[in-house]
Amino acid sequence: MMNGGKTFYIYKDGFGDVYNATPAEEAQWKAELLDQYRDRLSVEDSPSILKQIIENLEYHQAEGLIPQVESLLETASSRRKTVLVSQLWRMTGYPAAFSKLVGILKEHRETCLDEVFLALIEMKGSPEAAAFLWDLLQSDDTLLAKKAHTTLVMWAYTGLPELRKTGLETDLKPEVKTADPAAFSKALAAVRRVLRLS
């Protein structure tokens, strides 16, 4: 049932010789699976599970997924909203994603800090997010600087490998800012070039 009729994986796992569901059964299972995911989409509070539900609905090409996720934004808790906007960004380039995340960070820093930065990891390619993280690296707020550093390191390993050649991992840690300002500045300038910030 979890395959939703994607029999390639059943064969890949070595069960092709015993799998004999009909197309009608597969269609029924897929419909049931999508209904379960849609029901959970409205109530799930765990950010990681909510993200997985959206990705599963997308994988199974659920109709009306984008409008459904958008409609949930209005009443979502701040934690849920971080996931919803990051997934909308990933699927559609949702223009309001960054401003909504920054708003959540300003209003709910104590309860949603980790969730906001997990959402920013999804936003590679956003000039606004890149500029925000670059600014935070220079911030006197050590916690936000560390979060920005971690987020950019994740970008370096999930789609922006050029960042790995900038000294990001070693020279842009917040403690290097005071211990070796020259190395910090050099790495900061290199990251700025890679992120194409003006």
Side-chain angles (χ1 to χ4, degrees):
M1 182 173 182
M2 294 304 291
N3 274 299
K6 307 286 187 185
T7 55
F8 167 77
Y9 295 104
I10 296 170
Y11 281 83
K12 188 175 178 185
D13 290 340
F15 298 104
D17 57 336
V18 295
Y19 181 76
N20 57 9
T22 66
E25 288 172 324
E26 290 176 344
Q28 179 187 340
W29 297 339
K30 181 175 180 176
E32 290 173 11
L33 181 66
L34 292 178
D35 286 344
Q36 289 174 18
Y37 284 144
R38 284 191 185 100
D39 290 344
R40 291 178 63 200
L41 185 60
S42 302
V43 296
E44 182 57 58
D45 197 46
S46 164
S48 58
I49 295 174
L50 181 58
K51 179 177 182 281
Q52 183 180 22
I53 289 169
I54 293 170
E55 288 174 351
N56 287 341
L57 284 164
E58 183 185 27
Y59 171 77
H60 290 294
Q61 301 172 342
E63 290 184 19
L65 176 60
I66 304 300
Q68 184 180 9
V69 173
E70 288 177 332
S71 71
L72 293 171
L73 279 174
E74 295 177 28
T75 57
S77 68
S78 298
R79 288 182 80 215
R80 282 175 46 82
K81 198 173 286 187
T82 61
V83 177
L84 297 174
V85 298
S86 70
Q87 292 303 298
L88 283 170
W89 163 264
R90 184 183 59 75
M91 293 185 290
T92 69
Y94 184 60
F98 175 74
S99 61
K100 287 186 183 294
L101 288 174
V102 170
I104 292 167
L105 182 62
K106 286 179 181 174
E107 292 180 35
H108 305 283
R109 174 174 168 157
E110 296 303 316
T111 55
C112 293
L113 182 67
D114 290 339
E115 287 81 3
V116 167
F117 281 91
L118 282 171
L120 286 169
I121 289 171
E122 300 279 349
M123 295 190 65
K124 289 180 301 294
S126 164
E128 293 171 307
F132 177 68
L133 294 170
W134 190 79
D135 286 342
L136 286 183
L137 287 173
Q138 305 165 78
S139 168
D140 292 330
D141 187 324
T142 305
L143 179 57
L144 290 185
K146 285 182 179 178
K147 290 287 188 185
H149 179 259
T150 301
T151 302
L152 286 169
V153 169
M154 291 300 296
W155 282 16
Y157 285 92
T158 60
L160 287 175
E162 320 83 86
L163 282 172
R164 288 183 241 163
K165 302 172 186 173
T166 61
L168 166 68
E169 293 182 69
T170 54
D171 296 336
L172 282 181
K173 293 180 178 177
E175 56 269 21
V176 177
K177 183 179 175 184
T178 51
D180 190 348
F184 185 86
S185 294
K186 182 179 177 184
L188 195 62
V191 166
R192 182 177 190 157
R193 284 192 298 274
V194 170
L195 295 177
R196 296 185 177 97
L197 300 174
S198 56

